[in-house]
Each structure stands twice: as structure tokens, then as C-alpha cells.
Amino acid sequence: MHAHGAAAPWTTTEFTGRLRAVTAARYHDRHPFNLRMHKGELTPAELRRWIANRFHYQRHIPVKDALILAKLERPAPRRAWLRRIRDHDGTAEGEGGIERWLRLGEAAGLDREELWDASRVLPGVRLAVDGYVNFCRLSPVVEAVAASLTELSAPDLMRTRIDAFETHYPWIDPAGLAYFRTRVDQGARDGEEALALVLDQARTREQQERAVGALGFKCDVLWALLDAVDGGGP
């Protein structure tokens, strides 16, 4: 026990294990909607509904990253986090992850202006995304960064998704899958960088436990988003 009866911090190995255990148990790869997607069981309408609603999440990734960037105190982590914003927004028109998601929508028969105007976004998706953005706005930096650690599981999900789309949804132009292909490597790099930052900055048991809780919250956000999409219509 440490001063004032506080529990001793977990070792780096134990802390890392607890973080990874959260995504292993609660990541949205096991959500029924994702399972149906990967088995090829979604209708074109369901797939378009997911693409349109997930875009509402995608377009807010640079927003939450800008909020985290403003909390970082040293140049090195700020440079790394700034790269995340460039990855999604691009450095010129027609580049970046958001553009690649718009092209996925177009490959599935959606109009990009319809994606931007958010007319198809379900109330539950708005609530989930607003909840995540506000969490990053209001939380200490270590918790906001910890919430991003769902990226640790993203590369495997992207590989599964690419295979599923190529196998089961041939009506979608393969060029539209560029977002998933790019995120295999980006997600792995981003996840490891964020993990290193959390391991470095969460030094007390309380900070560590709150980081684990933040990651659990993010898993809930992604799950709630899919709950809304799954119940969103025919």
C-alpha cells in the first residue's frame, strides 16, 4: 500500500494486460451487427445505413483529436497527435481518411453531400458521438488518450472487414475499400503510440484505473453506435 492507504500502481505489464483485456472482451468486433456484416448477411440498405451513420463518427475523429492535442504539454506528443488529424483531414483536397470514407459511401451508392448533411444520422448515433467528443473535451488527457486505445484491436477488424467486403459485397467497388486498407497500418501505429503515452502518464493506481474505465467507455460508445444502426430501420 502507498501513502494514505492508496493501492500500489500496477506494473507496466499488468496495466497493459488490463487495458488489452478491455478490448478483448468489449470491442465492437463482436457486436451482432458487425458479425452479420462479416458473414455477408447485411442487405444493401443496412450497409448504406451503417456507412452513413459511421461517417458521423468518422468526421468527428479530427475534432476529438484536436481537443486531445490542446491538452498535450510537450512538442513530441503534439507532433504525433497532429499527424492523426492530418491522416483524417488530409493535407490537401481529395486526401485523408474522411475523403476515403466518402468514397466508400459513393461506392455503395450514397451521395457525399447526403453524408455531409447528416440527414441519415440516427439519434442514438448522434448521442454516442457527442458523448465521445465531450468525454475528450472534459477529461484529463490521459483518460482522453486511453479512450482511443480501441485502436489496438482495429487492425484485425480492418483485415476481417476487407475480406468480408471482397467476398460478400462485390457490388461495392473495391476502390471504395481504401479506408480500411489504410487503417490496418495507421491503427497499429496509432494504438502503440497512444499506449506508450498512457503507460507513461498514468502513474498512480487511481489514474490507471480511470484509464481502464475510459477505454471501457469508448467500447460502450462504439457498441451503442451499432445498437442504433442495428435498430434503425428496414
Side-chain angles (χ1 to χ4, degrees), residues 94-95 98-108 112 115 175-176:
E95 298 178 358
I98 289 177
E99 173 64 23
R100 284 189 284 273
W101 196 275
L102 290 166
R103 291 177 183 172
L104 170 64
E106 290 175 328
R112 64 170 53 211
L115 294 175

Side-chain angles (χ1 to χ4, degrees), residues 45-99:
E46 286 177 317
L47 204 52
R48 291 187 187 107
R49 186 168 72 239
W50 171 73
I51 291 170
N53 279 275
R54 176 74 187 198
F55 180 68
H56 190 67
Y57 173 84
Q58 299 298 139
R59 69 188 289 186
H60 283 87
I61 290 175
V63 177
K64 67 89 179 174
D65 280 332
L67 292 166
I68 293 173
L69 178 67
K71 298 174 189 285
L72 295 167
E73 296 181 350
R74 298 290 182 97
R78 282 201 298 264
R79 283 193 296 268
W81 222 265
L82 187 59
R83 189 193 61 234
R84 291 169 174 252
I85 298 175
R86 289 196 301 266
D87 285 344
H88 277 83
D89 282 346
T91 56
E93 198 68 25
E95 298 178 358
I98 289 177
E99 173 64 23

Side-chain angles (χ1 to χ4, degrees), residues 3-33:
H4 308 297
W10 293 315
T11 65
T12 298
T13 299
E14 186 175 10
F15 186 24
T16 302
R18 286 177 180 268
L19 289 165
R20 291 188 182 277
V22 173
T23 55
R26 297 170 62 183
Y27 191 53
H28 66 162
D29 58 342
R30 60 185 62 206
H31 190 283
F33 189 87

Side-chain angles (χ1 to χ4, degrees), residues 9-205:
W10 293 315
T11 65
T12 298
T13 299
E14 186 175 10
F15 186 24
T16 302
R18 286 177 180 268
L19 289 165
R20 291 188 182 277
V22 173
T23 55
R26 297 170 62 183
Y27 191 53
H28 66 162
D29 58 342
R30 60 185 62 206
H31 190 283
F33 189 87
N34 267 336
L35 295 178
R36 289 199 296 120
M37 181 192 297
H38 299 151
K39 291 176 184 176
E41 296 174 357
L42 297 186
T43 65
E46 286 177 317
L47 204 52
R48 291 187 187 107
R49 186 168 72 239
W50 171 73
I51 291 170
N53 279 275
R54 176 74 187 198
F55 180 68
H56 190 67
Y57 173 84
Q58 299 298 139
R59 69 188 289 186
H60 283 87
I61 290 175
V63 177
K64 67 89 179 174
D65 280 332
L67 292 166
I68 293 173
L69 178 67
K71 298 174 189 285
L72 295 167
E73 296 181 350
R74 298 290 182 97
R78 282 201 298 264
R79 283 193 296 268
W81 222 265
L82 187 59
R83 189 193 61 234
R84 291 169 174 252
I85 298 175
R86 289 196 301 266
D87 285 344
H88 277 83
D89 282 346
T91 56
E93 198 68 25
E95 298 178 358
I98 289 177
E99 173 64 23
R100 284 189 284 273
W101 196 275
L102 290 166
R103 291 177 183 172
L104 170 64
E106 290 175 328
L110 294 166
D111 180 81
R112 64 170 53 211
E113 287 309 313
E114 186 181 16
L115 294 175
W116 277 119
D117 73 21
S119 59
R120 299 172 63 104
V121 178
L122 298 159
V125 171
R126 292 183 189 274
L127 283 169
V129 173
D130 285 353
Y132 182 37
V133 171
N134 284 325
F135 182 86
C136 292
R137 177 182 288 114
L138 300 172
S139 298
V141 65
V142 69
E143 292 168 45
V145 172
S148 76
L149 289 176
T150 48
E151 291 165 332
L152 293 170
S153 295
D156 286 342
L157 177 59
M158 293 301 105
R159 294 185 188 97
T160 299
R161 188 161 286 161
I162 291 165
D163 183 61
F165 271 69
E166 290 179 338
T167 302
H168 301 300
Y169 308 106
W171 55 275
I172 294 181
D173 185 341
L177 307 183
Y179 178 85
F180 305 141
R181 300 185 196 284
T182 303
R183 287 303 297 169
V184 171
D185 291 335
Q186 280 184 358
R189 178 203 65 201
D190 290 351
E192 291 302 324
E193 283 184 350
L195 177 61
L197 195 154
V198 170
L199 293 176
D200 177 64
Q201 296 203 11
R203 298 180 180 179
T204 69
R205 172 68 77 86

